Amino acid sequence: MNKVMISVLIMAGVTYIPRALPITLFRKRIKSKIFKSFLYYIPFSVLGAMTFPSILYSTSNIYTALAGTATALILAYFEKGLMKVALGSVITVYIVDMLLK
Amino acid sequence: MQSTEYIVNQKLAAGRKDKIHHLKRGFYAGLPIALGYIPVSFTFGLMAVNGGIPVWMAVFISLTNLTSAGQFAGLNLIIANATYFEIALTTFVINIRYMLMSLSLSQKIEINTTMLKRCILAFGITDETFAVASQEEKDIDFSFMLGLIIGPYIGWALGTLLGAATTSILPESVQASMGIALYGMFIAILIPAAKKSKEVVMIIAMAVFISSVFKWVPVMNRISEGWSIIAATVISSIIGAVIFTREEEEYE
């Protein structure tokens, strides 16, 4: 097996475990407010940590990335939905890239 | 004797009819999710092939993982030639949120659902299927969950295949612009949530600050991206949980 295949199988395993454990084992509710809060905040912190500063390095240069980020922030503020925000930032990057050439 | 047998058969037939009915209802509830998944997994397929992953492997990842953020992060780490441990821990930390969903569903799924059935439907827990399932007023059964999962599962794999197969057709300038798409989607999730909650704003700000420190501060930036995501996530979530502990009624 090559490295990619092993990596993918590991990913599949560690993705399945948190899905399967509680529903098969837990029959009672977790009482700890702090632990529940911790779990509640994780999606926000992990998405935040993954997005910044990586987004600034996601295109061919920093200027197109900044333009794309600004577009995404504005569209997201007006709650345009995942598809429109993503496409808006992609199109902005494409246009700014063309203008800079 | 004959009449008892007749009644039993009638009951069995009614049970089957119920199951088919629930399966159908779940399937229709999952259709919008399936459609929504196609462009996201399309992007995944595109990025995977751009990063040198074969088309069949991109589809295989979607068929075995069925998760967006985890797959994207894992893909980035695979392309960056990260260690197995980094890949495992990053993917696990990203998907820890499924534990809360799985826990919530364990209270909602019919209590007599068998272990095997629980194991099967656990695979299909995503942010979106969870959201739909938790909107059901009554307890849900295996048939409903199975129906709910099938559509998104197919949509996720199909989108990946289309994206992976399309890559070579797109000009390089368009491909370079696609790199920001995933982050755009994350922002589309974060900002509306941040608008509703000051606590969420603080959590995101802490996470962004910590991951920026790991990126830009000398010495600290020797730590890989995988570890920096884990550290930023865990530290900011723990601080948040302690300072901004949520009360029971805050959970919908």
Side-chain angles (χ1 to χ4, degrees), chain B:
Chain B
M1 257 329 252
Q2 232 172 3
S3 66
T4 320
E5 205 171 283
Y6 177 77
I7 291 166
V8 168
N9 281 338
Q10 284 285 87
K11 277 191 174 172
L12 280 175
R16 268 198 299 274
K17 220 176 171 183
D18 254 15
K19 280 181 186 170
I20 293 169
H21 177 70
H22 289 170
L23 191 78
K24 275 187 184 170
R25 214 164 54 82
F27 183 74
Y28 287 124
L31 279 184
I33 304 175
L35 290 176
Y37 275 178
I38 289 176
V40 182
S41 56
F42 186 92
T43 311
F44 176 78
L46 216 79
M47 284 177 64
V49 173
N50 269 341
I53 305 289
V55 175
W56 72 268
M57 179 59 90
V59 176
F60 182 72
I61 296 174
S62 286
L63 286 173
T64 51
N65 283 255
L66 187 65
T67 182
S68 59
Q71 276 185 219
F72 278 107
L75 175 70
N76 281 334
L77 289 171
I78 290 173
I79 293 169
N81 206 19
T83 63
Y84 292 136
F85 189 60
E86 278 177 331
I87 291 170
L89 204 59
T90 305
T91 317
F92 181 72
V93 168
I94 287 170
N95 292 325
I96 275 180
R97 69 181 189 283
Y98 289 139
M99 290 188 93
L100 195 61
M101 298 176 192
S102 175
L103 185 69
S104 167
L105 288 178
S106 75
Q107 312 295 312
K108 204 164 173 60
I109 191 87
E110 282 180 350
I111 206 79
N112 58 4
T113 307
T114 63
M115 200 62 155
L116 178 66
K117 286 178 176 175
R118 283 170 189 259
C119 286
I120 293 169
L121 63 84
F123 179 76
I125 299 173
T126 68
D127 299 359
E128 294 78 14
T129 57
F130 169 73
V132 170
S134 58
Q135 279 173 350
E136 287 291 304
E137 284 177 13
K138 291 180 185 170
D139 279 0
I140 49 178
D141 64 358
F142 177 72
S143 304
F144 175 82
M145 275 304 285
L146 192 66
L148 179 63
I149 290 162
I150 291 170
Y153 187 60
I154 294 170
W156 188 246
L158 186 67
T160 307
L161 178 64
L162 293 175
T166 306
T167 311
S168 49
I169 304 168
L170 292 174
E172 204 174 309
S173 53
V174 176
Q175 282 184 39
S177 312
M178 292 296 294
I180 203 169
L182 158 74
Y183 300 108
M185 279 184 275
F186 288 167
I187 288 176
I189 295 170
L190 288 175
I191 301 297
K195 276 170 70 182
K196 289 189 201 93
S197 157
K198 279 179 194 163
E199 290 82 4
V200 169
V201 174
M202 294 301 294
I203 304 292
I204 296 170
M206 274 191 284
V208 167
F209 175 76
I210 296 168
S211 72
S212 300
V213 166
F214 282 121
K215 182 78 186 178
W216 288 318
V217 174
V219 183
M220 299 287 277
N221 61 16
R222 286 185 200 162
I223 291 165
S224 73
E225 193 175 338
W227 284 112
S228 98
I229 289 173
I230 293 164
T233 303
V234 172
I235 294 169
S236 54
S237 296
I238 287 177
I239 294 174
V242 172
I243 301 177
F244 310 119
T245 311
R246 293 166 59 81
E247 295 302 319
E248 288 300 319
E249 60 270 18
E250 289 180 81
Y251 297 95
E252 283 158 337

